[in-house]
Amino acid sequence: MTTWFISDLHLEPSRPASIQQLFAFLQHINGEADALYILGDLFEFWVGDDYLDTPEGQAIAPLIQALRAVSDSGVPIYFMHGNRDFLLGERFATETGCTILPEQQVVDLYGTPTLLLHGDTLCTDDADYQKARAVFRNPKWIAQVLTWTIPQRIQRAQEMREVSKESTQHKSEEIMDVNQQSVEQVMRDAKVTRLIHGHTHRPAIHDFQLEGVDVQRIVLGDWYTQGSYLRVDETSGITLLTER
Ligand code: MN
């Protein structure tokens, strides 16, 4: 059978084509897979599950139904938070039938111990980003933000996106990529021979050696410009797709 991975979909109403492509993809795997993993940044930003109660939030209903159809078909969906949708919570999980994973998860992928991450924690050369991340992922800060009105949260998310765009323009490609020492550290700590993550939008399969053992880091591309997904088949192996 087959396990599917997607990440960095960055869904938002202004990108209807990528939403339609997701519907087609979900229909394709419906009832036909061992599992679907969404490794973060499903949404361009998510301001809290109570957004679903707003008139604009109603637009998410078809997506929730499509995910629900997949989980109801017997294909478990696992969701990992990205840096854009870390406010996604249990209500979304219940309505879609998906399970929210912690920020690191080891799975046995047809006999290969595999570590799953969104990927942003590996970008340790970007000190400013890691500092900001520590604030945003603090449960106290999250609880505080969720007391704001939804328009306030949306405004803040948009401001943060602008700040991030502005700062990434001045950072080198190397700083924004993963740090190889951090990659090796998490793989050693988790005792895995394979790592799968997204976030950097640099799809690739990196083969290297760790303490004399052949290991592999698979990076998913994004969905909205690259249409990337990863398919791991029990018999035919790994397919990383980066074009439609
Ligand atoms: Mn990300």
Side-chain angles (χ1 to χ4, degrees):
M1 281 280 269
T2 306
T3 300
W4 298 85
F5 297 85
I6 51 177
S7 78
D8 303 281
L9 292 92
H10 292 263
L11 300 181
E12 67 166 356
S14 67
R15 296 176 183 139
S18 59
I19 297 173
Q20 288 310 316
Q21 250 137 4
L22 178 59
F23 287 151
F25 172 77
L26 292 173
Q27 222 159 37
H28 176 66
I29 68 165
N30 196 307
E32 300 285 334
D34 286 325
L36 168 64
Y37 288 88
I38 304 170
L39 296 185
D41 291 352
L42 174 60
F43 294 103
E44 178 67 6
F45 57 83
W46 188 258
V47 296
D49 290 359
D50 50 352
Y51 178 69
L52 294 168
D53 297 324
T54 65
E56 302 77 40
Q58 303 292 314
I60 309 285
L63 172 63
I64 289 187
Q65 283 161 17
L67 290 166
R68 179 90 227 178
V70 170
S71 50
D72 282 350
S73 79
V75 177
I77 303 176
Y78 300 98
F79 174 87
M80 195 170 261
H81 289 118
N83 51 303
R84 302 299 193 98
D85 53 12
F86 58 89
L87 293 179
L88 191 146
E90 281 306 324
R91 174 173 166 193
F92 183 91
T94 304
E95 291 190 13
T96 56
C98 79
T99 303
I100 298 180
L101 298 177
E103 66 178 55
Q104 291 199 15
Q105 178 74 42
V106 175
V107 295
D108 178 345
L109 207 51
Y110 309 115
T112 304
T114 303
L115 175 64
L116 310 178
L117 298 172
H118 175 56
D120 57 333
T121 51
L122 301 171
C123 300
T124 48
D125 293 332
D126 193 345
D128 293 343
Y129 173 78
Q130 295 301 334
K131 225 156 96 183
R133 186 185 191 276
V135 174
F136 299 144
R137 303 301 278 272
N138 182 321
K140 279 185 191 157
W141 189 84
I142 290 177
Q144 172 71 32
V145 166
L146 291 175
T147 66
W148 302 351
T149 65
I150 288 174
Q152 283 172 331
R153 282 179 249 160
I154 291 174
Q155 197 194 339
R156 183 60 192 268
Q158 282 166 343
E159 285 166 9
M160 278 165 51
R161 198 166 49 159
E162 288 312 308
V163 169
S164 152
K165 256 190 218 158
E166 169 68 20
S167 74
T168 52
Q169 276 170 6
H170 306 297
K171 286 177 189 168
S172 71
E173 292 285 301
E174 289 73 34
I175 282 180
M176 290 188 294
D177 202 354
V178 302
N179 172 294
Q180 181 64 18
Q181 277 78 49
S182 300
V183 166
E184 294 179 6
Q185 185 68 49
V186 293
M187 291 184 76
R188 259 196 303 266
D189 290 350
K191 300 182 169 57
V192 295
T193 52
R194 187 191 279 149
L195 167 63
I196 300 174
H197 69 85
H199 181 67
T200 59
H201 303 202
R202 298 177 200 202
I205 299 176
H206 302 275
D207 293 305
F208 57 102
Q209 285 216 327
L210 190 57
E211 288 160 1
V213 177
D214 289 331
V215 299
Q216 195 168 50
R217 176 170 69 94
I218 303 177
V219 189
L220 284 153
D222 71 64
W223 180 267
Y224 67 114
T225 67
Q226 301 166 336
S228 181
Y229 62 71
L230 168 68
R231 179 179 184 274
V232 181
D233 188 273
E234 197 172 1
T235 46
S236 58
I238 289 166
T239 314
L240 178 65
L241 190 105
T242 57
E243 58 186 47
R244 292 188 203 278

